[in-house]
Amino acid sequence: MNSMNFRNKYKRLVFFMKHSSLHKGWLMLFLIVLSVLACLGFGRFSFGAILPFMKDGLLLDYRQTGLIASSIFLGYLVAVLLSGFFVLRFSAKKVIVASLLVISLGMIITANAPNFFVAYMGSFITGLGSGGSYVPSLGLISQWFSPKKRGMAMGTAMAGSGVGMVFSGFAVPAIVVINIDQGWRISWYILAFLVIAIALINWLFLKDKPEDAGLLPIGATNNNPTSINTLEEPLVKPKTVYSNKTLWFIGSIYFLWGMSYLIFSTFLVDYLITDVHFTSQQAGNFFAAAGVASIISGFVWGSVSDKLGRMVSLMIVFFTQFFMLMGLSFTTDSLLIFMQVIIYGSTLWGVPTIMNASVGDYIDAKYIPVAMGFVTIFFSAGQLVSPIITGFLIDYTNSYLSAHLMSAITCFICGLGCYSLFHFERKKASSFKLEV
């Protein structure tokens, strides 16, 4: 009876979708948000909320904890390097669904980890699935949205990361209160179940291309059917991306920010518990508050970058994060920390949103998917080394001060890099006008 009811509800939902006047691209964007929620919100950023309890449960020191965190990003880096090949070989939808299932497998292994080595392997597998689903998910935005709508769509997709932070920030400490010894393991099981559910939803409803439904991308017209086949463009020549000096410069900035932001997103809860002496519930609430503030950050800063320009917007974001991280380093007042966490969170996903949108400003449209993967490699490398360096600094100094200062200074350097690129572009544009 239950099976029959499910089939009837599924048929009614499919019928509604087929006959709805709403462009199916909006449904695809919702599914992409769910995918980002699973691969980033649950697969990566929930680690920051679970970390303190997992560290205590497995009797880890900070170097081991940093290595486990870096294993997620090692897996992520490997997946980013390979995901493009698998998308071309199979399809974005198949790679996304398979990768989400890999995430759930990694979570289950981590939940059952008796020691450092098994936790390391489980986290590595989780990272593989995370990178394997994230890059194809953003690639689908290029299929379903025209360039003039793409920044908004990318910013909306990044909201999934913030939702994951909110959920884990509230849920994990509550679960740990109920079961002190096994709460962190139960948390991984719950997240694995949610990721499996999202994989099933994507398998049922996600489509690779608008023409599969007889549609054009949102924002495109019959006279300008932009970016329908960008993922399957047979003439892509990677050397046109890899020889682009501006993309290398942008990638270098992305690398530094990958090192910087991870200290906040991974170690905030543990910092608030160990250095500021918050309760686990208070620390989790602050982490969740940052997640709430971050939900619309990608959308907001993506829109701002459309008005002010990419590098100017990034410069504002980086300098804002610099000041917030400096403040976080030298205050223990809960109200000030809350304000700093909220402001930092409100800029958090602005960086990857603007970075991915800026790629199209410096490369031909048909090379955008390759270029996005290229700059993401830099970002992944920054995430990979950050937990190792952070763990060493915390163990060596016995506090988070040096780690926060490193994170803040790195943001300041990123801001200077954006200013220099903006200044170079403006000077180049002025020279061009004079020549004309």
Side-chain angles (χ1 to χ4, degrees):
M1 188 67 181
N2 290 334
S3 176
M4 184 175 295
N5 288 337
F6 175 78
R7 285 198 297 269
N8 290 335
K9 290 179 180 179
Y10 174 70
K11 289 178 180 178
R12 286 198 295 269
L13 180 59
V14 171
F15 177 82
F16 171 77
M17 289 168 54
K18 287 182 177 179
H19 294 83
S20 174
S21 59
L22 187 69
H23 195 291
K24 288 182 175 60
W26 297 113
L27 172 63
M28 297 305 111
L29 180 58
F30 173 72
L31 295 175
I32 291 169
V33 170
L34 289 182
S35 178
V36 174
L37 168 63
C39 67
L40 295 189
F42 294 156
R44 279 173 46 191
F45 299 116
S46 61
F47 185 84
I50 299 175
L51 174 67
F53 315 108
M54 184 174 166
K55 178 173 71 70
D56 293 340
L58 295 178
L59 303 177
L60 305 174
D61 59 32
Y62 279 105
R63 293 187 186 186
Q64 290 174 315
T65 304
L67 286 171
I68 289 176
S70 70
S71 71
I72 295 179
F73 304 109
L74 176 60
Y76 182 88
L77 176 58
V78 172
V80 166
L81 291 170
L82 298 176
S83 61
F85 167 78
F86 284 107
V87 167
L88 292 175
R89 178 67 177 82
F90 298 103
S91 75
K93 174 181 176 177
K94 290 178 180 178
V95 173
I96 290 169
V97 172
S99 296
L100 292 177
L101 295 177
V102 170
I103 291 174
S104 64
L105 174 63
M107 289 177 169
I108 292 171
I109 292 174
T110 306
N112 288 280
N115 52 45
F116 163 79
F117 178 76
V118 178
Y120 184 93
M121 292 306 300
S123 298
F124 175 78
I125 293 171
T126 300
L128 279 176
S130 180
S133 52
Y134 175 63
V135 175
S137 294
L138 288 190
L140 284 183
I141 290 177
S142 298
Q143 294 281 4
W144 284 93
F145 290 84
S146 68
K148 63 182 179 180
K149 297 287 187 180
R150 200 169 294 157
M152 173 276 301
M154 285 186 179
T156 303
M158 293 306 299
S161 300
V163 174
M165 290 178 67
V166 174
F167 177 84
S168 56
F170 284 128
V172 173
I175 294 169
V176 172
V177 169
I178 297 172
N179 191 324
I180 296 176
D181 295 329
Q182 302 298 319
W184 67 272
R185 298 183 188 272
I186 296 171
S187 299
W188 280 125
Y189 276 120
I190 293 173
L191 292 174
F193 171 78
L194 293 174
V195 172
I196 291 172
I198 291 173
L200 177 62
I201 293 171
N202 274 270
W203 176 64
L204 290 174
F205 301 114
L206 190 64
K207 301 291 184 183
D208 284 296
K209 294 174 290 185
E211 61 262 36
D212 291 344
L215 299 169
L216 291 173
I218 292 177
T221 64
N222 288 314
N223 295 327
N224 183 28
T226 309
S227 299
I228 294 180
N229 290 310
T230 52
L231 282 179
E232 295 185 348
E233 171 62 60
L235 299 177
V236 167
K237 300 177 182 178
K239 66 180 181 180
T240 61
V241 172
Y242 304 145
S243 61
N244 188 311
K245 294 180 180 179
T246 303
L247 288 184
W248 276 89
F249 189 81
I250 291 174
S252 299
I253 295 174
Y254 213 7
F255 168 83
L256 292 174
W257 188 75
M259 290 179 57
S260 173
Y261 96 103
L262 207 66
I263 296 173
F264 179 91
S265 63
T266 302
F267 292 96
L268 176 65
V269 173
D270 192 61
Y271 161 71
L272 294 176
I273 293 174
T274 57
D275 281 23
V276 190
H277 307 298
F278 278 16
T279 65
S280 60
Q281 195 70 50
Q282 285 177 305
N285 289 343
F286 274 50
F287 186 77
V292 171
S294 75
I295 289 175
I296 63 170
S297 61
F299 175 82
V300 169
W301 286 103
S303 301
V304 170
S305 73
D306 289 336
K307 301 293 184 181
L308 299 182
R310 310 301 186 198
M311 291 303 111
V312 171
S313 301
L314 273 177
M315 185 171 57
I316 296 171
V317 168
F318 286 137
F319 285 142
T320 300
Q321 292 184 359
F322 163 73
F323 286 114
M324 293 307 102
L325 289 167
M326 288 297 291
L328 199 62
S329 303
F330 294 106
T331 183
T332 57
D333 181 82
S334 59
L335 179 59
L336 287 176
I337 292 175
F338 182 78
M339 292 174 61
Q340 290 156 2
V341 163
I342 290 295
I343 295 173
Y344 186 97
S346 68
T347 66
L348 190 54
W349 308 128
V351 177
T353 298
I354 299 174
M355 281 291 183
N356 282 299
S358 69
V359 165
D361 298 338
Y362 301 104
I363 202 73
D364 189 84
K366 62 183 177 181
Y367 303 137
I368 288 176
V370 178
M372 285 175 59
F374 178 61
V375 297
T376 302
I377 291 172
F378 287 85
F379 178 52
S380 305
Q383 294 178 111
L384 175 62
V385 301
S386 179
I388 300 174
I389 297 173
T390 303
F392 173 80
L393 288 174
I394 296 171
D395 265 348
Y396 184 76
T397 63
N398 203 31
S399 80
Y400 274 91
L401 177 60
S402 58
H404 281 147
L405 289 176
M406 182 189 77
S407 180
I409 292 170
T410 303
C411 274
F412 187 78
I413 295 172
C414 290
L416 292 179
C418 291
Y419 173 77
S420 65
L421 183 56
F422 166 74
H423 181 70
F424 172 78
E425 290 174 341
R426 188 170 60 176
K427 186 176 180 180
K428 186 177 180 180
S430 299
S431 298
F432 178 76
K433 290 179 180 178
L434 289 173
E435 290 176 5
V436 173

